[in-house]
Amino acid sequence: MAYGGLAVPIAVMSVFWGVVGGVLPWLVPKGPNRGVINTMLVTCAVCCYLFWLIAILAQLNPLFGPQLSNETIWYLKFHWP
Amino acid sequence: MGSLFRSEEVCLAQLFLQSASAYSCISELGERGLLEFRDLNPKVSPFQRRFVGEVRRCEEMEKTFTFLQQELRCAGRVLGPCPENPRAPLAREALRVQEQSEQLAQELREVTRNRTSLRGRLRDLRQYLHVLCEGQRFTSLPAPLGSPPRPRALSEREPILEPSLHQHLERKINFMAGVIHPWRVTAFERLLWRACRGYLVASFVEMPEPMEDPATGESITWVIFLISYWGEQIGQKIRKISDCFHCQVYPYPESEASREETITGLHSQIHDLSTVLEETEQYLAQVLDKVALALPTWRVQVQKMKAIYLILNQCSFDVTEKCLIAEVWCPVRDLTQVQEALRQGSYQSGSSVECFVQRVPTSENPPTLIRTNKFTAGFQSIVDAYGVASYQEVNPAPYAIITFPFIFAIMFGDVGHGLLMFLFALWMVLYEDSPRLRQGTNEV
């Protein structure tokens, strides 16, 4: 699978949590617990999506990179394709 | 469902209850669990309220039940949970319950008393039998026990009358037999030797089977002792010493023949007593069975009765109209159900006039009511631990259902741990109804 950069993960996760928070509430059967279940789905989607998004955006501009020794750097440069 | 997001609308209502049907109406309302009663007699002390006699009667019945339950537990039986949901009893039934429970308690007391006394007697007889049997060993031995080695008149009373005393001593050997606790044997022996040196021969032998100690109830191997002595004073000294050591002393017949006779007599007595004891035990088991069968239902019934009377105590009596007035907080949605319950109650008690409920306007803030099912109840109680929301305030519980575990998970941040907790929770949810877990009566 080609490396699609950042677009693929963002698209997948947004669609997934969008379905959970936006589509599933319409599919919950009518009953006394409908309100609670809808609240649960929406809060869950918002919480988990935000958590994931913040984590991945923070990793795009890291504070520091991996701490490698000189030997490892040389090996990476000459022996990896 | 709006009721988890905000507390329900609750109104103040007045119930007008006929005094004849008040009891059954409150019983109906109680079964449905719809209302919160306000105390209309706050200044009246508990001893001056109208139904205090009934409450006291319920409490007496509860005392009898506790006694019965203790007896059941002593006998090693476990009281099962109440099978169905009994309603509060009417006055006649309550009387019957009270009479029956007291009668059973009385029977139980008598039977246990008989049994303890029978047991005590049996133990005594068996000890005596052992004493005689073991004593045979020593007294059937030839001469050495009977004749003293040096017939010197060493008794303090009569130092002078030597010859006649010597003859007297040769013939009159007395025996004392009894049973002593094994821990006291050495001290007893030592004291006997110091007090009556040389005038007695004491032999100790352990009983072949252990028997119950009447004081502590534990099983001990008693030690049988047989003392042969001569001289009256010695005899008295020995008797006093054995009293000090709490020994059980039995009369030891002199001749072989009378011993045999006593032994056969004892055998038959023990046999008879054992049969009687067996029958007593059987009867006791029957009584306990009856108690175990009836007790759980009675317990629940009396509890409900007491609760009803406590609530009736909170109502004010309107003497002019011969009815009781109760003020309740009632959710608006359930007003029709309350009316239905009142109708049922009046019908059951057979009164012609129906009780009714009437809504009353008030400026006070009604209590907060939030209906939860078994899933949301846990989260609601966590939120309530911080403080119960005031009337019609937004309830944070539905949002807490997700955010609470979420923040918890952020703290841990560990997939393995999370997986383990998830599996444990899954097991708990799936086996919620397993009978083994249902047996537990505590909150966990």
Side-chain angles (χ1 to χ4, degrees), chain B residues 144-314:
Chain B
L145 275 179
S147 51
R150 258 172 305 173
R152 232 183 292 157
L154 295 171
S155 119
E156 305 92 32
R157 265 188 306 152
E158 302 162 303
I160 309 170
L161 302 167
E162 198 168 340
S164 54
L165 200 56
H166 167 57
Q167 223 183 15
H168 179 76
L169 283 175
E170 283 252 39
R171 250 176 262 151
K172 187 79 175 112
I173 307 294
N174 298 325
F175 290 103
M176 183 172 306
V179 172
I180 187 175
H181 196 282
W183 295 347
R184 302 194 191 115
V185 169
T186 33
F188 187 50
E189 246 185 301
R190 201 173 304 153
L191 195 55
L192 278 178
W193 190 75
R194 283 196 191 140
C196 327
R197 178 189 316 218
Y199 291 107
L200 57 82
V201 181
S203 29
F204 296 85
V205 71
E206 251 192 31
M207 229 196 279
E209 53 165 3
M211 269 200 228
E212 228 182 47
D213 179 10
T216 60
E218 52 182 73
S219 192
I220 309 177
T221 336
W222 298 87
V223 170
I224 303 174
F225 64 88
L226 181 67
I227 304 180
S228 42
Y229 62 92
W230 52 100
E232 189 52 45
Q233 280 233 334
I234 302 290
Q236 282 180 359
K237 269 195 209 169
I238 299 179
R239 209 156 289 135
K240 268 197 208 139
I241 296 176
S242 46
D243 273 340
C244 284
F245 278 87
H246 305 287
C247 313
Q248 194 104 14
V249 175
Y250 296 104
Y252 194 78
E254 301 280 331
S255 66
E256 193 83 15
S258 55
R259 277 204 288 275
E260 295 283 324
E261 238 182 80
T262 339
I263 288 184
T264 33
L266 279 178
H267 270 301
S268 63
Q269 269 185 349
I270 289 180
H271 180 74
D272 290 337
L273 207 56
S274 316
T275 3
V276 174
L277 194 61
E278 240 182 72
E279 289 188 9
T280 323
E281 300 260 358
Q282 266 184 3
Y283 184 58
L284 184 68
Q286 273 181 1
V287 173
L288 284 176
D289 272 338
K290 267 195 278 185
V291 170
L293 210 56
L295 195 58
T297 330
W298 286 348
R299 265 234 142 128
V300 175
Q301 281 182 327
V302 170
Q303 264 179 341
K304 288 196 179 173
M305 202 163 100
K306 187 166 162 190
I308 295 182
Y309 279 118
L310 286 174
I311 290 195
L312 283 177
N313 270 342
Q314 291 180 345

Side-chain angles (χ1 to χ4, degrees), chain A residues 31-33 35-36 39-41 43-44 47-48 51, chain B residues 1 4-5 373 375-376 398-399 401-403 406 410:
Chain A
N33 294 324
V36 178
T39 319
M40 278 168 67
L41 284 170
T43 12
C44 185
C47 282
C48 297
F51 188 60
Chain B
M1 173 182 99
L4 193 58
F5 292 97
N373 55 21
F375 173 67
T376 51
Y399 312 107
I401 297 179
I402 289 294
T403 54
F406 185 69
I410 290 183

Side-chain angles (χ1 to χ4, degrees), chain B residues 393-429:
Chain B
E393 191 184 349
V394 173
N395 181 24
Y399 312 107
I401 297 179
I402 289 294
T403 54
F404 181 75
F406 185 69
I407 305 273
F408 216 74
I410 290 183
M411 276 200 304
F412 276 95
D414 180 348
V415 174
H417 197 156
L419 185 69
L420 287 176
M421 297 227 281
F422 172 68
L423 291 175
F424 181 59
L426 195 67
W427 174 81
M428 277 206 286
V429 164

Side-chain angles (χ1 to χ4, degrees), chain A residues 2 6 18 42 48 79:
Chain A
L6 211 51
V42 173
C48 297
H79 286 265

